[in-house]
C-alpha cells in the first residue's frame, strides 16, 4: 500500500510539473501582452510533431539534436506568431483576443493534419523503461519530466531575475505603459516572451510524448488542466502556476485510489470551480 501511494505521488508530481509548465506559458504571455492564449495546447502538439514526426522519424536524427532543433524551430515560429498575431492583439478587447487565439489553434491543428497526416504515432525508444527503487517502480519518463521541468523552472527564474531581457519582461508584466515610457521596447519583449513560451510548449510536447501517442488531440486535457493550475495557484503569478500544477497533479492521482479512474480528469475542474467560488485569487493570493 505504501509503495503504491509513493508511486502515485511521484507520477502526480511529474504530471503536476507538466501542468505547471502550461500554467507558466499562459502566465508569461498574459503578463507580457494581456492576451489569453487559448492555442497553447495546439502549440504543444505542434512541438511534439516537429520533434517526433520531422526530426526523429522523418530525418532520422538522434534524440539530442532533434530536441535542440525542435526548440529552435518553435522559437522561430513563436517570433513570427508574436509579430503577426499577439502584438496586434494586445490593445484589443478580451473577446477578440480569445477568439483569435482559438482560431490560431484550429489553423495549427489543420496544418498538422495536412502535413503529418491524421494517424497517431509514437517516437520509438524515447524515454521508455522503468527504474526500480526498493519495491517502487518509477517510469523513466516520469523521472525525466520531474528533472527537466525543475531545471526549466530554475533556468526561467534565473533568466527573469539575472538578465537584462528577463528584467525587462518583469517590468512589462508589472506595467506595459510605464515600461514603454521608461524606454523599454515592449514589442521586442513580447516577441522574446512568446518565443520562450513556444519553447516551453515544445518541451511539454517532448516530455509527454512517451506517455501519450503523438496525435492531434494529445494535449487537449493537458491544456485545460494547465489553465486550471494557473487559476488555482494565482493567475498571472509564476510561482502560483507551479504550486497549482503540483496540487492538481498530486490530488488527481491520489483521488484515483478512491474514485474510478474514469473520473480522474474531473478532479482538476472540481478544484477549479471550488477555488473560483471560495478563493478566486488562488492559493498564493497573488496575481503578479
Amino acid at each position: 500500500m505504501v509503495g503504491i501511494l509513493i508511486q502515485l505521488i511521484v507520477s502526480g508530481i511529474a504530471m503536476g510539473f507538466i501542468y505547471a509548465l502550461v500554467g507558466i506559458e499562459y502566465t508569461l504571455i498574459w503578463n507580457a501582452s494581456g492576451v489569453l492564449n487559448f492555442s497553447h495546447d495546439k502549440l504543444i502538439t505542434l512541438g511534439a510533431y516537429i520533434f517526433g514526426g520531422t526530426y526523429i522519424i522523418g530525418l532520422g536524427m538522434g534524440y539530442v539534436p532533434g530536441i535542440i532543433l525542435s526548440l529552435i524551430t518553435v522559437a522561430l515560429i513563436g517570433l513570427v506568431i508574436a509579430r503577426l498575431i499577439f502584438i496586434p492583439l494586445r490593445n484589443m478587447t478580451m473577446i477578440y483576443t480569445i477568439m483569435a487565439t482559438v482560431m490560431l489553434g484550429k489553423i495549427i491543428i489543420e496544418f498538422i493534419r495536412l502535413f503529418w497526416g491524421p494517424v497517431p504515432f509514437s517516437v520509438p525508444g524515447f524515454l521508455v523503461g522503468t527504474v526500480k527503487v526498493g519495491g517502487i517502480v518509477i517510469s523513466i519518463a516520469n523521472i525525466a519530466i520531474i528533472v527537466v521541468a525543475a531545471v526549466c523552472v530554475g533556468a526561467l527564474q534565473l533568466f527573469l531575475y539575472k538578465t537584462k531581457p528577463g528584467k525587462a519582461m518583469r517590468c512589462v508584466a508589472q506595467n506595459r505603459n510605464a515600461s514603454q515610457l521608461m524606454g523599454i521596447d515592449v514589442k521586442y519583449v513580447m516577441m522574446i516572451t512568446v518565443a520562450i513560451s513556444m519553447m516551453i510548449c515544445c518541451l511539454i510536447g517532448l516530455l509527454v510524448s512517451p506517455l501519450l501517442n503523438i496525435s492531434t488531440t494529445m494535449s487537449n486535457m493537458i491544456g485545460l488542466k494547465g489553465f486550471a493550475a494557473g487559476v488555482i495557484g494565482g493567475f498571472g503569478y509564476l510561482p502560483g502556476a507551479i504550486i497549482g500544477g503540483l496540487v492538481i497533479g498530486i490530488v488527481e492521482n491520489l483521488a484515483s485510489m478512491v474514485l474510478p479512474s474514469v473520473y480522474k480528469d474531473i478532479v482538476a475542474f472540481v478544484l477549479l470551480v471550488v477555488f473560483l467560488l471560495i478563493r478566486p485569487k488562488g492559493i498564493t493570493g497573488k496575481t503578479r
Side-chain angles (χ1 to χ4, degrees):
M1 184 65 179
V2 175
I4 294 174
L5 183 63
I6 294 174
Q7 284 180 223
L8 287 173
I9 291 174
V10 171
S11 59
I13 291 172
M15 289 310 299
F17 269 119
I18 292 295
Y19 304 149
L21 288 175
V22 177
I24 287 171
E25 184 272 335
Y26 257 123
T27 301
L28 286 174
I29 293 182
W30 169 255
N31 285 347
S33 63
V35 174
L36 273 177
N37 179 22
F38 281 100
S39 66
H40 66 282
D41 54 330
K42 307 305 186 288
L43 296 171
I44 292 170
T45 303
L46 178 63
Y49 269 91
I50 290 173
F51 169 69
T54 297
Y55 289 122
I56 304 301
I57 296 176
L59 299 177
M61 291 185 176
Y63 299 134
V64 174
I67 290 171
I68 294 171
L69 287 174
S70 297
L71 292 173
I72 294 172
T73 302
V74 297
L76 294 174
I77 294 172
L79 293 175
V80 175
I81 289 175
R83 190 68 188 87
L84 297 181
I85 299 175
F86 287 109
I87 290 176
L89 285 175
R90 73 189 189 281
N91 295 321
M92 295 186 181
T93 56
M94 184 69 72
I95 185 63
Y96 295 123
T97 63
I98 290 174
M99 291 304 299
T101 57
V102 169
M103 291 302 104
L104 173 62
K106 296 292 185 183
I107 292 169
I108 291 171
I109 286 300
E110 290 308 312
F111 171 77
I112 289 172
R113 200 188 316 275
L114 290 171
F115 191 81
W116 285 284
V119 180
F121 63 93
S122 59
V123 180
F126 183 61
L127 298 179
V128 297
T130 58
V131 174
K132 191 171 183 179
V133 182
I136 303 167
V137 179
I138 305 172
S139 70
I140 292 175
N142 281 339
I143 295 172
I145 288 171
I146 293 171
V147 172
V148 173
V151 171
C152 179
V153 169
L156 183 60
Q157 290 297 310
L158 287 174
F159 175 78
L160 289 173
Y161 285 89
K162 300 297 182 181
T163 67
K164 189 174 180 179
K167 292 176 182 178
M169 286 172 60
R170 289 169 55 215
C171 291
V172 172
Q174 291 295 322
N175 192 311
R176 286 187 292 276
N177 293 329
S179 298
Q180 193 161 9
L181 291 173
M182 295 302 293
I184 295 175
D185 189 339
V186 174
K187 290 183 180 179
Y188 169 78
V189 170
M190 287 179 62
M191 292 180 71
I192 295 298
T193 302
V194 174
I196 292 173
S197 298
M198 283 284 292
M199 292 174 73
I200 292 174
C201 286
C202 180
L203 195 62
I204 296 168
L206 299 178
L207 292 173
V208 300
S209 61
L211 306 176
L212 309 166
N213 280 332
I214 297 177
S215 68
T216 54
T217 59
M218 63 179 287
S219 60
N220 289 356
M221 195 60 67
I222 292 172
L224 291 172
K225 291 180 182 178
F227 179 75
V231 175
I232 289 171
F235 197 78
Y237 184 53
L238 285 180
I242 299 168
I243 294 169
L246 291 174
V247 167
I248 290 176
I250 294 171
V251 170
E252 74 173 5
N253 259 31
L254 293 180
S256 64
M257 296 181 69
V258 294
L259 294 174
S261 58
V262 70
Y263 295 116
K264 178 182 177 182
D265 289 334
I266 298 176
V267 174
F269 307 119
V270 171
L271 284 173
L272 174 62
V273 172
V274 169
F275 271 90
L276 286 174
L277 291 173
I278 297 175
R279 191 175 172 84
K281 286 190 175 181
I283 294 171
T284 61
K286 297 180 180 180
T287 56
R288 291 288 181 186

